[in-house]
Amino acid sequence: MPDPNMKILVVDDFAAMRSIIKNALNTIGYKNLEEANDGKAALEKLKAGSFDFLVTDWNMPNMNGLELIQAIRADAKLAKLPVLMITTLGEPAKMVPAIKAGLNAYIKKPYALDELKAKIDQIFAR
């Protein structure tokens, strides 16, 4: 398991979904969690703080998940940040732009706790 104390930023425009994701991360052992309500707010937090992992949605106002990944990969200080996308756009063909932009992995909503844990383990095993 990756460091349970790593600092994780959870990004989704729906507060209820952020809460669900944070609860899921808590359940599998991660406690150092912060949140942002869109990609723009997330990018500001990422630039201001030292995060170890990002969990983001795709569909958000102001800056969507794809644009967020592109901005992260274009920033030398953030470029290596591991990113997991949790989205309703689970069809592999729709995920190609995000993967090409540098997305590490994705999960389709709804997801199971064991799937979330496995994806995080997989990302940090690389």
Side-chain angles (χ1 to χ4, degrees):
M1 178 174 159
D3 182 357
N5 297 311
M6 72 174 162
K7 192 172 177 184
I8 302 172
L9 182 60
V10 176
V11 189
D12 197 295
D13 54 321
F14 289 106
M17 185 53 65
R18 288 193 307 272
S19 181
I20 289 167
I21 293 168
K22 286 171 61 181
N23 285 339
L25 289 166
N26 254 305
T27 301
I28 60 174
Y30 301 101
K31 308 294 183 208
N32 193 0
L33 309 171
E34 288 193 30
E35 60 183 72
N37 62 0
D38 65 31
K40 189 174 179 210
L43 191 58
E44 289 172 14
K45 283 191 172 205
L46 290 169
K47 288 182 176 187
S50 57
F51 287 88
D52 303 300
F53 186 46
L54 174 68
V55 179
T56 186
D57 187 20
W58 183 307
N59 294 312
M60 299 178 289
N62 301 319
M63 177 186 276
N64 68 34
L66 176 59
E67 293 164 336
L68 177 58
I69 292 165
Q70 291 167 334
I72 289 167
R73 297 301 180 234
D75 185 315
K77 290 179 183 169
L78 301 174
K80 295 195 183 316
L81 180 72
V83 181
L84 172 66
M85 187 174 280
I86 299 178
T87 180
T88 55
L89 302 176
E91 298 167 34
K94 290 188 176 175
M95 296 308 297
V96 169
I99 292 165
K100 285 185 175 177
L103 177 66
N104 296 87
Y106 70 92
I107 298 175
K108 186 176 189 311
K109 294 176 189 173
Y111 58 90
L113 275 180
D114 58 342
E115 183 182 10
L116 177 63
K117 183 180 182 326
K119 284 289 183 185
I120 294 171
D121 290 348
Q122 176 187 4
I123 289 169
F124 284 92
R126 292 183 186 148

